[in-house]
Amino acid sequence: IDPRLVREMSRQMGQGSVLVTGTNGKTTTARLLRNMAEAAGLRPIANYAGSNMMRGIAAAMVQAARWDGRIGSSGKRLGIFEVDEATVPLVARRLRPRAVVFTNLFRDQLDRYGEVDHVVGVWRRTLESAPERMAVALNADDPSVASLGRYARGPVMYFGVEDASVGREEPEHAADVRWCPACGGKLSYSAVYYGHAGKWWCEGTLGKGAACDNARPAPGVRAEQVRLRAEGSDVRVTTPQGVLQIELQLAGLYNVYNALAAAAAALAIGLPLDAFQRAMTRFAAAFGRQERFDIDGRAVQVLLGKNPVGMNQALRAITASPGTKRLLFFLNDGEADGRDVSWIWDVDFEALREAEVGALFAAGRRAEDMALRLKYAGLGADVPAMRKTAEALDAALRATPPGGTLYVVPTYTAMLDVRELLASRAGRRPYWEAAP
């Protein structure tokens, strides 16, 4: 009805807006940032349900408004929106945000986004046409994301991990960036944290034999010490405003990055450091992102795995937990998943051979493809493959003893289905109703 709806309504957000984009971590980072804004006394407007294109942002604004289109407490309103990677240019033009957070860039839905070089080109053009005052929070450990700093017209805040003890020596098989964005030379690492994210520098040369000086920028928000636990991590975070010791209730190093990204964005828009500390103490997992359910005396944990790097991090978190593993993998090929499921052959399922696997199931529209991949990973020649969500969940629960934990690892559309079923059985409201 009104093509100018988003642009016009955004003027009622007295605190402006922040966009969060990237391949992995958008939902959790945006949720952390909302907690920080609330701890600072602001009233966020956000696409809580995860609809991250223009329709989701428009719906969030409409939901925040009264019948006449006016938004209450406009002076305290801060828009915090997770945004689809390809939709960033359009949203940035409509909202003219105060800051944009780029979490990371990995291969994802190749049939929709194309290769990572294409996506970084879209982001670069967005920054080149952005307002000069717009701040940018960039992952210093991701070479593609860090390269955006040279195109930013406003302030740049880098974030990253300094603790080499939680890294490895070489990029994993699923790494998508092995060559310098500046000269095409080979990248070297002193520590790799996940995918191609780590402490990197370029070994190449520019014209006339001059050495390329492209290297990881020094992060202003950094994790100096990281102690990973089965169900979380203890992190010492150093920022331009001081040092904090946080206890993160989400497992995996990738969630440390999400916390750093949220902190960098918060500081970029002037939120106080103590808001970050208070937000950490009351943070709960976003839907489908390490969310836990209690079903008939059994714990069920859902870990979204929608691309090679994301799935590898989910597997890393699972193998780090103690006890026998009962696993249910869902593989769908819907529009929001990407039609091409060949990416599962770049996932390191072989890592599960080091864990004690008590039960293993494949499910979803492409259950047979997942079962075949698990077979070639050496995890069993007869992995049950089921296409119906309820049937697969019931079978996996039967294989999980009372007091045990079932790990459910779905792709995006499968996550929506299985999460709805789990919420119903656990007596929990659907995520779109549970959102503020």
Side-chain angles (χ1 to χ4, degrees), residues 64-89:
R66 299 192 296 260
W67 66 270
D68 61 357
R70 296 183 183 276
I71 298 175
S73 304
S74 60
K76 292 186 176 183
R77 293 291 191 167
L78 173 67
I80 301 175
F81 304 110
E82 63 166 287
V83 182
D84 173 84
E85 297 94 298
T87 310
V88 170

Side-chain angles (χ1 to χ4, degrees), residues 378-401:
L379 299 173
D382 299 307
V383 177
M386 291 163 278
R387 295 195 177 190
K388 294 182 179 179
T389 302
E391 178 186 353
L393 183 59
D394 287 341
L397 285 170
R398 285 195 298 269
T400 305

Side-chain angles (χ1 to χ4, degrees), residues 214-301:
N214 191 26
R216 171 186 183 256
V221 176
R222 53 195 182 274
E224 298 281 3
Q225 291 183 354
V226 179
R227 185 172 70 86
L228 299 175
R229 295 181 279 103
E231 297 183 357
S233 55
D234 300 314
V235 188
R236 190 178 75 187
V237 180
T238 300
T239 78
Q241 292 187 13
V243 179
L244 291 175
Q245 188 70 36
I246 64 171
E247 192 175 309
L248 190 60
Q249 301 303 317
L250 294 172
L253 187 59
Y254 62 105
N255 278 310
V256 174
Y257 274 99
N258 294 336
L260 295 175
L267 293 175
I269 62 172
L271 295 183
L273 192 63
D274 67 329
F276 177 57
Q277 183 79 68
R278 283 180 280 143
M280 290 295 100
T281 62
R282 56 190 182 89
F283 183 75
F287 69 93
R289 280 79 171 176
Q290 297 194 22
E291 202 174 7
R292 293 173 177 272
F293 299 87
D294 183 11
I295 309 291
D296 298 330
R298 297 159 175 84
V300 180
Q301 186 169 12

Side-chain angles (χ1 to χ4, degrees), residues 1-10 94:
I1 297 173
D2 182 2
R4 299 171 300 176
L5 175 74
V6 170
R7 179 178 288 128
E8 294 296 327
M9 291 195 74
S10 69
R94 297 283 176 84

